[in-house]
Amino acid sequence: MKVLIVLTSHSDLGNTGEKTGFWVEEFAAPYYVLADAGTELTIASPAGGQPPVDPKSEAPDAQTAATKRFYGDYELIDKVAHTIKLSEVNEANYDAVFYPGGHGPLWDLQQMKYLLL
């Protein structure tokens, strides 16, 4: 099975002046479940490159076994830092698409909606 994971490229929480991005635990927990099951995973983002991380997801009280595993997994951290640009992905090559949560993806999905109209 091949799954495309799409992380956000959006870093601003509206006009609040706060930063946002993908929520680390919402990426890491499913990533490791899928990877440990032998799923072939590709990580992309709308802009490609390093997706922003929601700073609140890095708070001590937001840490789980999956986030701790992620922070020690330098190979995966490097993959996340070099995501493929979403426009360069052929969706026909994947069995499923997974879009981890956080506030950033809400803006990405809204932008995609307007592109599809």
Side-chain angles (χ1 to χ4, degrees):
M1 173 167 282
K2 294 175 72 174
V3 175
L4 176 66
I5 298 176
V6 181
L7 296 176
T8 188
S9 290
H10 193 85
S11 63
D12 297 313
L13 190 57
N15 60 2
T16 65
E18 293 185 46
K19 292 298 181 184
T20 191
F22 76 93
W23 196 265
V24 175
E25 207 277 335
E26 290 189 24
F27 162 73
Y31 178 91
Y32 287 118
V33 168
L34 292 166
D36 292 346
T39 304
E40 185 178 329
L41 300 167
T42 301
I43 305 170
S45 65
Q50 176 68 59
V53 175
D54 188 314
K56 292 180 181 177
S57 75
E58 296 180 310
D61 64 342
Q63 302 315 300
T64 65
T67 61
K68 292 173 186 173
R69 182 176 174 186
F70 172 73
Y71 291 124
D73 187 341
Y74 300 111
E75 184 177 327
L76 180 55
I77 289 171
D78 187 62
K79 285 181 187 178
V80 168
H82 299 93
T83 64
I84 298 168
K85 190 172 184 177
L86 195 54
S87 64
E88 298 173 1
V89 172
N90 181 352
E91 67 277 359
N93 294 335
Y94 297 91
D95 301 300
V97 175
F98 178 67
Y99 213 120
H103 292 105
L106 298 176
W107 274 272
D108 290 337
L109 293 171
Q110 181 179 9
Q111 182 67 22
M112 284 182 217
K113 178 181 105 176
Y114 291 117
L115 293 173
L116 295 173
L117 293 177

